[in-house]
Amino acid sequence: MRQIGLTGSIGSGKSTVAAMLHELGVPVLDADKFAREGATLLQGEICAAFPEVCGQAGIDRAALGRRVFADQEARKRLEAILHPYVRGRMAEESQKAAASGANIIVQDIPLLFETGREGLFQGVLLVVASTELRMERAKLRNGLSEADFRARDAAQMPQEEKIGKSTWVISNDGDLEQLRSHVQNWYEGVSRCE
């Protein structure tokens, strides 16, 4: 059984690649999903650390995002609260997938390199796209302004540096069918190496 890390800079299309892999029958574990789950379960700790982003309705996620992407120390505080939970859930779900007979398990981790987790995998698949295209996607998908996109992008390792650290790179500068073809080819190649 091979554990593969999947990552990409904001707006690269990593989530689309994850969905395509899932369609191919690959178990894909989503760190962002577990982070959202953790934020709900750990709301008290997050609100104690960031009272300015909490109110009667709980955490204002947009305000929290602006806060932590504008301040590296704030981001580290949030990560210290959430990351242990996320890692525990990823390990738990990975064990379940392995027990069910999966040969390949993909862990979708946006900050894989930034958190130094690449050594835990038998390879890292990186999804890349031009900065302009990534910014356009982030605006459409998340409603981010150019300033918000640039702040989030700056908080991540530069894409060029990630390329040098990755086992495989899939370019997502084309259309969905081109991406689907790249993903299919990657999957077939990795499956043959089993």
Side-chain angles (χ1 to χ4, degrees):
M1 187 267 301
R2 293 175 77 182
Q3 293 268 359
I4 293 172
L6 170 64
T7 196
S9 297
I10 183 171
S12 65
K14 175 187 59 60
S15 297
T16 304
V17 168
M20 290 176 177
L21 288 169
H22 181 75
E23 288 169 10
L24 291 170
V26 178
V28 179
L29 311 180
D30 183 353
D32 277 346
K33 173 186 160 195
F34 296 130
R36 288 188 297 274
E37 186 180 282
T40 300
L41 293 171
L42 301 168
Q43 180 172 300
E45 287 181 56
I46 294 169
C47 288
F50 303 97
E52 70 279 12
V53 303
C54 293
Q56 292 286 341
I59 299 169
D60 178 340
R61 292 182 193 274
L64 180 61
R66 285 190 300 274
R67 175 79 171 89
V68 300
F69 286 108
D71 179 348
Q72 186 175 5
E73 288 307 311
R75 191 170 67 252
K76 286 180 180 175
R77 275 200 322 272
L78 179 62
E79 289 171 355
I81 295 167
L82 285 177
H83 284 185
Y85 177 83
V86 172
R87 288 179 182 149
R89 290 288 287 125
M90 295 289 268
E92 180 183 310
E93 292 302 316
S94 181
Q95 288 172 353
K96 286 181 188 175
S100 73
N103 292 325
I104 297 170
I105 298 170
V106 171
Q107 292 195 24
D108 176 354
I109 305 174
L111 299 176
L112 188 140
F113 292 119
E114 292 83 351
T115 55
R117 301 197 38 120
E118 64 271 23
L120 301 175
F121 300 97
Q122 285 79 49
V124 174
L125 174 60
L126 175 69
V127 183
V128 298
S130 70
T131 302
E132 296 75 24
L133 192 50
R134 292 189 301 108
M135 183 170 16
E136 190 59 37
R137 288 176 183 153
K139 284 179 181 179
L140 289 171
R141 184 189 70 199
N142 302 90
L144 294 181
S145 67
E146 182 175 342
D148 286 340
F149 167 81
R150 294 205 182 277
R152 290 180 187 211
D153 195 44
Q156 298 181 336
M157 181 182 290
Q159 185 170 260
E160 296 72 32
E161 205 174 319
K162 291 178 185 178
I163 290 170
K165 294 174 166 275
S166 298
T167 315
W168 308 277
V169 177
I170 288 180
S171 173
N172 186 20
D173 280 329
D175 62 27
L176 275 177
E177 286 315 304
Q178 288 174 309
L179 180 61
R180 192 175 304 282
S181 175
H182 293 320
V183 171
Q184 180 74 41
N185 291 340
W186 175 83
Y187 175 67
E188 288 172 2
V190 169
S191 297
R192 280 194 298 271
C193 296
E194 279 302 303

